[in-house]
Structure formats: structure tokens, C-alpha cells
Amino acid sequence: MRIHHDWKALPLDARGATVAMGNFDGVHLGHRSVIDAARAACDAPLGVITFEPHPREFFAPDAPAFRLMNVESRANRLARLGVDHLYQLPFDAVLAGLTPEAFAREVLVEGLGVRHVTVGLDFCFGRKRSGNAQTLAQLGREMGFGVTVAPLIGDGAVQYSSTAIRDALSEGRTRDAERMLGHWHRIDGEVLHGDKRGRDLGYPTANMAVDGLHLPALGIYAVLVDVLTGPERGSYKGVASLGVRPMFGENRPNLEVHVFDFAADLYGQHLSVALVEYLRPEAKFDSLEALVAQMDRDSARAREILATR
């Protein structure tokens, strides 16, 4: 998959795609239906148009973190879906100020030369969100590109959405989130140096930052771990702590992953960690011995849950 960071001066072979357009935070089943509709719309390379930063971050930079996945995670997921071109457009004052007509003309037609655009039924675009899916369809007729409006999908009374997935994760309902995502919720990133306390306790961990991400329920999880880079590349099982480590004072939240039956150094490597099941909230213990005893129980429970994975 090729990633493009602007809509101007694109090479000829990056133009003329059939594209799905939206924020695609989480790349959940609703997003996949939009991408599948774009793929089926015409015989052309498959593209995805998204925006960075997320428009919500641009307009409210001090609001609490809400993203389900970082830029790396989203790109990895889209590549797995067979996307040929990711148009990761810079969302700035210029783009935010374009009217729907100007966006369609300057970005979609003159910039990307799209053949077809697919959006979800709830899609809005243009200055002050003044354009919607119907506006886009009319502009497509006027400017010469096709438009498909994909219906919203769900399961019974629940509509698949990034908001519903955030709610499920906040409550530790990882399997409900997985049902809406179509895959386990993952945290991707580089392994950073930490305090190395886990090694002293018999539980060495790979530490990962969660800055800028919506935080699932803090606590202990059974996890699947994909090591994406380095000589130990492969898939593993483990147990992870997502939280502030209350035994050791006040700390910024992070993810500490203990990979079962694994002794190699992972510093600087990139991991993708799937939160499979929420085991318990994080807690403060009376002693390190009590903490280690609980870690033993957590690991045994995680092994049991992951035995068939």
C-alpha cells in the first residue's frame, strides 16, 4: 500500500482510484462495508481518503484523547484489507475552510482525479460540516465522478460505530468491541525502556506508550502479541497491564506486556497487542509478594483463555 500525504502534484499512477472516504478510526465493520462498496464500484485501484490529524483533534486539541488507533495502526489495518493507496490528507485551516463544492473540485477532481467515491450514510464534509452524503452525490453528478452511499450497519439495536466501540472498551467488554470491529482491539507501537521492575519480579515486560489513544478499562488483560519487526518477528501469547501502576506511585498510563515463554530483548521493536479478555481492574497490594502471587494467578488465567487461540 502506498501512502500519500497530500492531494497536490500526485504521480499519474496515484490518480484515478475508486476511493472510500472517512476517518476510519478503528477500521470497524461499518468502515469495512464502505471500503468493500468502493472496491465493487468500478474496476480501478482501491484507495482510502482519510485525514490527519483527525478533524475532531484539529477543532478541539485540548479535549480528552478519543482515538481507537494511531496512524500506524490504521495504516496496518487498511493494508491488510487490500487498499492500494492511502490518501492521508493534512487536515489544517486550509482544508477545514473549503466549501463542499471547493473540496470536491480541488481535492477529489483536480487533486486525486477520483473515478468513484464511497461514503457512509452519516458522512459530512466541507466548512462547518455543511455538506453530507447527498451533497456529495449531487456534486459527483455535476463534476463527473460516481458516488455510492453505503448504509449504516449493526447488530440488532446496536449500530457499529467508533463511539459504541469506545463505550465497550471503557467497560472492559473486549468481546463486544471485537464483534463490532471484526478484529480484536489492538494497541500498536514501539517497545520503550521502562523502570524494569517486572524483570526483578520475574515478569519482564515490553512497555508501550498509549498517548493520544482512548483508554480501555484500566487493568489486566489476556493478550495476543504480534512482534512486527526484528529477529523475533512472530505471534505470541501473554498477559498485559494497562494502567498507572498504583503500587509504584503516580504514573502516566502505559501498556506493559509480559510475553509468555519469551526471553529475547524487544526494545525498539514494534508490537501489535490484541486485548482479548479483561481479567480484572488494576489494584494496589499490601506487599510485593502479594502482587507477584496475583500476577501468577493472572498469568494462569490468561493462559487458560488463550489456550485455543
Side-chain angles (χ1 to χ4, degrees):
M1 184 179 73
R2 294 168 61 186
I3 301 178
H4 312 278
H5 297 280
D6 208 339
W7 69 85
K8 301 170 185 174
L10 287 177
L12 186 61
D13 61 356
R15 292 168 53 84
T18 174
V19 300
M21 183 162 59
N23 291 311
F24 298 101
D25 185 27
V27 194
H28 56 66
L29 289 177
H31 295 145
R32 288 173 62 174
S33 74
V34 176
I35 294 169
D36 288 343
R39 192 195 317 270
C42 66
D43 184 14
L46 177 61
V48 164
I49 298 173
T50 191
F51 307 95
E52 193 59 40
H54 191 294
R56 186 167 153 187
E57 291 176 323
F58 176 79
F59 289 114
D62 298 323
F66 66 92
R67 293 179 71 144
L68 290 170
M69 52 173 46
N70 59 25
V71 174
E72 176 186 4
S73 241
R74 182 175 61 191
N76 288 342
R77 180 59 56 179
L78 291 172
R80 291 182 191 181
L81 296 179
V83 173
D84 299 305
H85 297 278
L86 173 56
Y87 304 100
Q88 198 165 273
L89 304 185
F91 196 87
D92 53 17
V94 173
L95 192 60
L98 294 177
T99 64
E101 294 80 3
F103 178 87
R105 182 179 63 256
E106 296 178 25
V107 178
L108 299 180
V109 176
E110 297 173 0
L112 304 183
V114 297
R115 287 185 59 188
H116 198 96
V117 182
T118 301
V119 296
L121 184 61
D122 57 352
F123 179 75
C124 291
F125 71 111
R127 188 169 59 218
K128 297 183 179 179
R129 295 171 58 86
S130 55
N132 56 26
Q134 289 68 41
T135 309
L136 184 65
Q138 178 60 40
L139 291 169
R141 287 189 289 271
E142 295 171 3
M143 299 184 186
F145 58 87
V147 173
T148 296
V149 180
L152 304 178
I153 66 171
D155 178 12
V158 179
Q159 179 183 304
Y160 296 155
S161 69
S162 299
T163 298
I165 294 164
R166 288 184 202 104
D167 290 344
L169 292 170
S170 294
E171 297 168 5
R173 295 185 286 112
T174 56
R175 295 180 187 270
D176 288 344
E178 187 271 340
R179 190 180 71 252
M180 292 183 277
L181 285 163
H183 54 85
W184 296 113
H185 176 65
R186 288 180 173 269
I187 296 173
D188 291 8
E190 182 181 352
V191 177
L192 308 173
H193 285 275
D195 296 326
K196 300 180 175 59
R197 293 192 186 97
R199 182 179 302 172
D200 296 336
L201 299 175
Y203 282 91
T205 59
N207 301 297
M208 298 167 61
V210 293
D211 298 341
L213 296 177
H214 168 80
L215 286 179
L218 300 185
I220 309 303
Y221 289 83
V223 298
L224 297 173
V225 184
D226 289 340
V227 179
L228 303 177
T229 60
E232 306 303 325
R233 184 179 304 179
S235 297
Y236 305 88
K237 299 173 182 179
V239 64
S241 171
L242 175 64
V244 296
R245 307 174 299 288
M247 280 290 290
F248 305 102
E250 294 296 324
N251 301 284
R252 294 177 67 180
N254 77 339
L255 183 68
E256 295 182 304
V257 184
H258 174 66
V259 183
F260 294 146
D261 310 314
F262 187 91
D265 184 350
L266 289 173
Y267 293 122
Q269 304 305 330
H270 283 249
L271 269 56
S272 178
V273 181
L275 305 185
V276 174
E277 189 156 317
Y278 183 62
L279 302 182
R280 64 171 177 86
E282 61 178 355
K284 188 173 183 178
F285 295 88
D286 293 333
S287 66
L288 290 179
E289 290 76 15
L291 171 62
V292 171
Q294 182 60 58
M295 292 165 69
D296 291 342
R297 291 190 290 271
D298 294 337
S299 294
R301 177 63 178 144
R303 286 181 184 273
E304 180 182 338
I305 290 167
L306 299 171
T308 59
R309 300 287 174 188

